[in-house]
Amino acid sequence: MTTPPLQRIELTGYEIAPPQAFGSLMLFPVIDPQPRADLRLARHVFGPDAGVVALPDNTTYTGYIPHALVVDWRRDGEVVAQHGATMERGRHRDPAARQVAVIDRMVRRTDRTQLRLLPLHTAFEGFLALHFGGPAIAWTEWSRRTRRHGLVERSETVTPGRAVGGLDEALSLFEIHHGQVGVLLFDGAGLLSAFVAAHPDDYRALHRSLIEDFYGDVLLQPAAAAVGGVTLALDPSSVTDLASLEQAVASVRSEWAAQAAVAAAGLINRPVTAQSVYRLSPFRLERFRTALDPAAEAHLGEAIVDGGGRIRYLKTYRLTGAQVRRAALLELLATHEWNLDAVARAGDDTRDDVVRRIENAGFGYLLNPEVLARVR
Amino acid sequence: MVASIDGTGGDRPDDRTRIEALEREDLVLFINACFACTGQRELYGGRYGQQVSVDFLHRYTLGNYRRLYARSLALGLNHFNRAMIVRLLLAAGSPADGEQRAEENALITVTLAELPPQRVHKLFEALARDRVNNRRTRAVMRHYLTEARDPHFDAVKYRRRVLVAARHAHVGFDEETERFLTDPEARRQPGVFEVPLFRAYAESHFAKEALFRLPFSVAEGLAASRGVSQEELLKRGRDRMTAGERLRSQARSQRAGVRLPADLAAAPLTRLATYVCSLDPAERRRRHDELDGALRAAADRTFQRAPSPLGRIAVVADRSWSSAGSFEKRRRPLAVALGCVYLLRRAAAESVVLWAPDLSRPDLEVTARGQTDLATPLLAALRAAPDTVVIVSDGYENAPTGLAGQVAATARDRVAGCSDVAFVHLNPVFDADNLAPRQLGPAVATVGIRQAEDTLALLGFARFAQGTASLAELEAHLAARTRHYITP
């Protein structure tokens, strides 16, 4: 049985509560009214070193990876105890193993129903590997190295949570709701990250770990407009007695989800390209990204989806404008089989402009020096 | 805040009323801040911001309304602010007007007698540091150190600060006290002293027995160097403990395995509520009858001191996560809310209590958790058709923001039967940025609160905070409280 991968990110079955604003950040709590305990997440902390992930295709992924998530699940909706609460073999909790900086694979099964995954890095690796192979036809404009080995190395800069102004404070002042399983984190420019855990207890335990994650585009917008506390006004005209006042309050409340949906339009309900990474029947782990349109917000992330297609775990990253442009450029090159003239024709551009764009995007090293010299 | 009122422009009646309104607002702002702020760190604000903010308010009020500033000592403000008022009054020198001077002096004397001694000694130290050395300051210090208190006891318990104050104000003690304060060598020689406390202190350097004739906090400091274990210290020192020391040593005595029955029956309401909130919910459930009885008794004692019965009261008490307070004021907002609940239950003819978020257990098992949704319990409170709705909350409403104030305003304006309901918001947290406790909207009168004991007096003050009373009424209120305060 193969279920199709995610088409769009939908938060069906979840309720979105009124936001809490702290300076330039705003957090919308995501609440699961009927939490189930057949999928649980826990945190696994690595040492302070940068992590190197050995990938199956002989490439390596290097980054600061402070922690991993441990996923426990059951097939038939049985209850899983919170990680650490059960007696278990010491394999994945071996203290010596934590010293090792080389991590084997992004997602790795550590037990029959247990999985270790590196949050966000799983999704980000897919992004970095985009069109990693390079040109299939040996166009002479590309350097010899590019023609032989493809992109060879590819790096992007992200912002650690601690450098996001006010995030630490916002997380510590945030009041976690009863039944809260996730959060939509906004800054002045829109949705910064969405995080949904599988169970309220897991969320409570993982709430502060959001500071260990990485985020996009925040350092570049220090003067991002402060998000004021959104207030919805109660309409007094319909109120005559207590019952109608209660109704008016209820209608104010029901508007929050709509507010959040508008604010998060860059991700929620937008079509995504998803790819299945791991099957943990009946669940599956997928990584996804929205379309790479430089004019719109672009997000990537990973999700665990249950058999019914409902998202049970979600973690997203908003790509910075430069990252989107770079990725869009790679995609454009790939669709035209890395032929500069074809790209120029498609974009109604001159060939020199295309070369300049490639250089400005930081991919100048892929081209032959003479090609670059001509446009300078 | 009156920033630039032109002194000559007050002739026209319009200006007169405007200035009056501004003066009233200034005073209410100041008094409100003084009920809540203690210069300590809050959950939402740092310590420095709190201190700068309240310091500014004090200096501003002293500069513009000196007589009323002094009289606010009679309002039952918290200790921190009363000490600060005394400090600034002494630093400003005596007023020229004889009558005003006499009133101020009486206010200062009564206040110092009411403040806990450690606060007064700290105040004197601050005066010495600021080099405030006018005649009145010296006289106040001399009177306090030699007459108002037992100089021997204070010399042992607050030695360093007493010495600083005595040197600063040229206070003369008897020969032995002076020797004890100034001569470190003599303090280790038992033969030098006749006074039993001084002798005990000197002996305690050599004999463990002498340790237990000293004030407990002094013995506590010396215990480790004398090789006295925690267990022995608590067991033998328990008779010398003050009530506060006893209450704060509860957890420690349990760890050391010493039975130290806390005198719950005598503890003040807020102290008791803080103690209850510090216990594990399971333990609270186990000791429910004992703790509940003690809280009821404390509430009753508080009520009997100034009995002002209330009618139908609905209490909305905030127990969201932010009521956990800060490192310096741990669980303070929660404890204040719990104390208020017990006191209002005692004082009201009929009462209904609603926690936010909902608490399905007895009141005393309350914990700080969850979001701040005040609108839902407020609606439920209105269903009970109360005369007064008392909201105890830090004012950081977030589920959603600002809805409670709108509900209160709409109910009062449009719902039949709710037009006479008074909404009072008691706020245990001072918001440094706004120079006032955070408010819930114009329909709700916000008053700062530091101790649950003040609840009933604050409900009386709420009409000033609301702005319904005039400046003349506020001045009359202050004058009356002052007369009552300084009459022996």
Side-chain angles (χ1 to χ4, degrees):
Chain A
M1 182 191 77
T2 47
T3 9
L6 277 173
Q7 300 293 308
R8 53 185 72 235
I9 302 299
E10 285 169 298
L11 291 178
T12 35
Y14 294 101
E15 286 169 11
I16 295 180
Q20 300 178 26
F22 306 95
S24 65
L25 296 173
M26 185 159 71
L27 290 83
F28 277 86
V30 177
I31 291 164
D32 189 349
Q34 287 155 333
R36 289 173 52 191
D38 53 349
L39 178 75
R40 299 297 298 262
L41 298 171
R43 194 162 165 239
H44 178 91
V45 182
F46 294 119
D49 308 324
V52 176
V53 186
L55 298 171
D57 56 358
N58 286 332
T59 53
T60 53
Y61 174 97
T62 313
Y64 171 62
I65 305 173
H67 61 161
L69 288 178
V70 181
V71 183
D72 291 78
W73 79 96
R74 296 287 181 274
R75 273 163 197 278
D76 312 314
E78 289 169 57
V79 171
V80 193
Q82 194 162 7
H83 186 70
T86 45
M87 300 282 277
E88 46 197 20
R89 280 164 291 160
R91 216 167 6 149
H92 62 280
R93 295 175 72 80
D94 179 6
R98 293 187 186 178
Q99 312 291 321
V100 180
V102 177
I103 303 162
D104 187 20
R105 279 177 279 179
M106 285 288 173
V107 180
R108 185 186 156 87
R109 195 173 265 218
T110 48
D111 204 340
R112 204 169 56 80
T113 59
Q114 194 174 66
L115 197 69
R116 190 265 294 133
L117 80 101
L118 303 179
L120 276 186
H121 294 277
T122 308
F124 212 76
E125 187 253 316
F127 175 70
L128 287 179
L130 198 67
H131 309 299
F132 198 65
I137 301 169
W139 305 105
T140 49
E141 290 89 343
W142 304 101
S143 73
R144 188 180 298 168
R145 207 163 85 122
T146 311
R147 278 176 278 160
R148 278 201 190 143
H149 305 291
L151 270 62
V152 189
E153 68 206 17
R154 175 113 158 70
S155 68
E156 292 287 356
T157 312
V158 292
T159 312
R162 293 197 188 283
V164 178
L167 181 63
D168 195 14
E169 199 190 335
L171 288 177
S172 64
L173 294 183
F174 180 82
E175 296 187 333
I176 300 175
H177 284 237
H178 287 289
Q180 183 177 343
V181 292
V183 69
L184 303 179
L185 175 63
F186 289 86
D187 68 354
L191 180 69
L192 190 58
S193 175
F195 172 52
V196 175
H199 192 273
D201 292 347
D202 296 347
Y203 180 78
R204 205 171 268 281
L206 293 170
H207 175 70
R208 288 307 297 265
S209 79
L210 288 174
I211 196 80
E212 303 274 10
D213 288 328
F214 59 82
Y215 300 90
D217 227 8
V218 261
L219 275 187
L220 300 174
Q221 298 177 345
V227 198
V230 184
T231 43
L232 291 177
L234 189 80
D235 176 21
S237 61
S238 63
V239 176
T240 50
D241 55 4
L242 276 178
S244 54
L245 179 58
E246 268 166 28
Q247 257 168 24
V249 168
S251 72
V252 168
R253 283 190 188 287
S254 61
E255 282 170 47
W256 288 114
Q259 285 267 335
V262 170
L267 172 70
I268 309 295
N269 291 335
R270 232 176 104 197
V272 293
T273 325
Q275 177 194 0
S276 192
V277 180
Y278 211 95
R279 282 187 63 80
L280 9 78
S281 173
F283 304 100
R284 52 184 208 278
L285 173 65
E286 297 188 352
R287 62 184 174 205
F288 60 84
R289 63 178 168 78
T290 59
L292 295 169
D293 175 6
E297 270 179 53
H299 296 263
L300 56 81
E302 70 237 356
I304 294 179
V305 186
D306 67 13
R310 184 176 174 215
I311 290 177
R312 298 290 302 277
Y313 158 77
L314 176 72
K315 203 163 187 104
T316 71
Y317 167 87
R318 184 180 73 212
L319 292 164
T320 67
Q323 285 166 350
V324 177
R325 279 195 297 279
R326 274 198 289 279
L329 185 62
L330 285 180
E331 204 157 58
L332 186 70
L333 288 169
T335 40
H336 294 98
E337 298 184 315
W338 299 76
N339 181 339
L340 294 181
D341 292 311
V343 172
R345 268 198 306 280
D348 212 7
D349 254 342
T350 65
R351 189 187 142 100
D352 286 358
D353 282 336
V354 174
V355 173
R356 262 187 223 108
R357 267 175 70 197
I358 292 173
E359 195 189 5
N360 288 345
F363 290 132
Y365 72 96
L366 298 176
L367 289 163
N368 256 331
E370 310 91 82
V371 179
L372 286 172
R374 204 169 331 128
V375 300
R376 277 190 183 132
Chain B
M1 188 107 317
V2 191
S4 56
I5 288 294
D6 181 2
T8 57
D11 297 321
R12 282 180 297 146
D14 265 11
D15 290 349
R16 203 52 246 159
T17 47
R18 207 165 58 91
I19 291 171
E20 265 194 28
L22 282 170
E23 285 185 14
R24 192 197 64 227
E25 276 170 26
D26 281 0
L27 281 171
V28 167
L29 186 70
F30 169 69
I31 292 168
N32 229 339
C34 288
F35 276 126
C37 182
T38 54
Q40 285 168 307
R41 201 178 134 187
E42 299 282 4
L43 179 73
Y44 292 103
R47 182 188 181 134
Y48 179 71
Q50 293 268 327
Q51 283 173 350
V52 168
S53 180
V54 79
D55 190 67
F56 164 74
L57 274 177
H58 273 271
R59 288 178 194 281
Y60 175 83
T61 315
L62 171 66
N64 290 291
Y65 318 96
R66 175 154 185 173
R67 187 188 291 266
L68 299 174
Y69 180 69
R71 282 180 176 176
S72 59
L73 281 174
L75 282 177
L77 307 179
N78 66 42
H79 291 157
F80 167 82
N81 284 297
R82 275 198 266 176
M84 185 132 170
I85 293 174
V86 172
R87 178 156 79 86
L88 292 188
L89 283 176
L90 288 175
S94 305
D97 176 43
E99 196 185 322
Q100 191 183 350
R101 190 166 58 228
E103 184 185 279
E104 225 181 82
N105 290 347
L107 278 165
I108 290 174
T109 312
V110 176
T111 303
L112 289 186
E114 273 192 3
L115 287 179
Q118 69 273 20
R119 278 230 184 249
V120 180
H121 286 297
K122 207 170 169 182
L123 158 70
F124 288 168
E125 194 187 24
L127 285 168
R129 194 184 50 230
D130 296 348
R131 305 187 171 203
V132 177
N133 204 342
N134 52 46
R135 225 175 96 192
R136 183 166 69 156
T137 306
R138 286 200 301 275
V140 164
M141 285 188 175
R142 187 176 310 117
H143 174 78
Y144 189 83
L145 292 177
T146 57
E147 286 167 48
R149 305 262 316 159
D150 173 3
H152 296 154
F153 182 84
D154 277 13
V156 173
K157 189 161 176 178
Y158 308 106
R159 191 184 71 233
R160 194 180 60 79
R161 288 201 167 122
V162 167
L163 181 61
V164 169
R167 274 190 177 145
H168 180 71
H170 313 295
V171 178
F173 291 109
D174 58 71
E175 199 189 326
E176 267 195 29
T177 311
E178 273 176 14
R179 184 123 197 236
F180 181 81
L181 286 172
T182 54
D183 188 347
E185 286 304 314
R187 281 204 292 273
R188 306 172 134 265
Q189 296 168 11
V192 174
F193 299 113
E194 294 287 314
V195 177
L197 261 180
F198 294 164
R199 182 184 276 274
Y201 184 85
E203 279 174 7
S204 72
H205 287 88
F206 310 100
K208 211 160 67 173
E209 302 307 310
L211 210 56
F212 301 105
R213 299 203 300 271
L214 294 171
F216 180 74
S217 60
V218 179
E220 214 177 358
L222 292 169
S225 62
R226 291 297 94 78
V228 177
S229 69
Q230 281 284 312
E231 191 186 345
E232 190 180 0
L233 174 72
L234 290 167
K235 205 176 268 172
R236 300 186 58 189
R238 63 185 160 200
D239 297 332
R240 312 263 321 170
M241 282 182 185
T242 64
E245 282 162 355
R246 206 166 252 268
L247 207 52
R248 78 168 151 81
S249 306
Q250 285 299 307
R252 198 157 53 133
S253 70
Q254 236 167 37
R255 276 198 302 277
V258 178
R259 247 182 60 79
L260 184 72
D263 194 5
L264 295 185
L269 183 57
T270 313
R271 273 279 175 87
L272 193 58
T274 313
Y275 169 66
V276 170
C277 289
S278 77
L279 296 175
D280 195 63
E283 185 173 353
R284 291 188 235 171
R285 199 168 312 134
R286 196 156 42 73
R287 294 171 56 190
H288 178 274
D289 293 344
E290 176 201 356
L291 297 173
D292 186 59
L295 279 167
R296 275 173 203 277
D300 186 55
R301 256 177 290 128
T302 308
F303 178 71
Q304 296 299 351
R305 224 169 294 146
S308 47
L310 301 166
R312 294 165 65 83
I313 296 278
V315 189
V316 175
D318 181 359
R319 65 171 197 99
S320 67
W321 185 76
S322 60
S323 58
S326 68
F327 185 75
E328 283 185 329
K329 306 178 85 170
R330 213 170 269 180
R331 299 192 200 86
R332 181 89 199 180
L334 189 66
V336 170
L338 182 61
C340 286
V341 164
Y342 269 89
L343 183 56
L344 288 169
R345 276 232 167 98
R346 171 66 188 82
E350 275 178 65
S351 61
V352 47
V353 172
L354 297 140
W355 290 95
D358 194 25
L359 180 74
S360 47
R361 300 184 300 276
D363 294 332
L364 64 82
E365 285 174 36
V366 68
T367 49
R369 240 183 175 197
Q371 72 280 17
T372 314
D373 167 18
L374 296 176
T376 310
L378 189 58
L379 281 169
L382 289 172
R383 286 243 170 251
D387 310 324
T388 309
V389 178
V390 180
I391 304 168
V392 189
S393 166
D394 58 17
Y396 285 85
E397 191 193 6
N398 55 31
T401 310
L403 194 57
Q406 294 182 45
V407 167
T410 314
R412 213 176 47 181
D413 294 347
R414 303 196 57 99
V415 177
C418 288
S419 53
D420 294 331
V421 178
F423 294 94
V424 182
H425 170 208
L426 301 177
N427 192 334
V429 174
F430 177 70
D431 179 13
D433 295 341
N434 293 319
L435 297 166
R438 209 177 161 91
Q439 306 194 336
L440 289 177
V444 184
T446 299
V447 192
I449 184 170
R450 158 86 183 145
Q451 300 202 80
E453 284 88 331
D454 304 335
T455 307
L456 302 178
L458 289 174
L459 291 183
F461 184 76
R463 66 195 178 103
F464 297 111
Q466 182 87 357
T468 47
S470 70
L471 178 65
E473 279 179 274
L474 178 59
E475 283 178 350
H477 177 72
L478 273 171
R481 288 294 296 263
T482 304
R483 266 197 310 283
H484 178 75
Y485 189 66
I486 59 180
T487 321

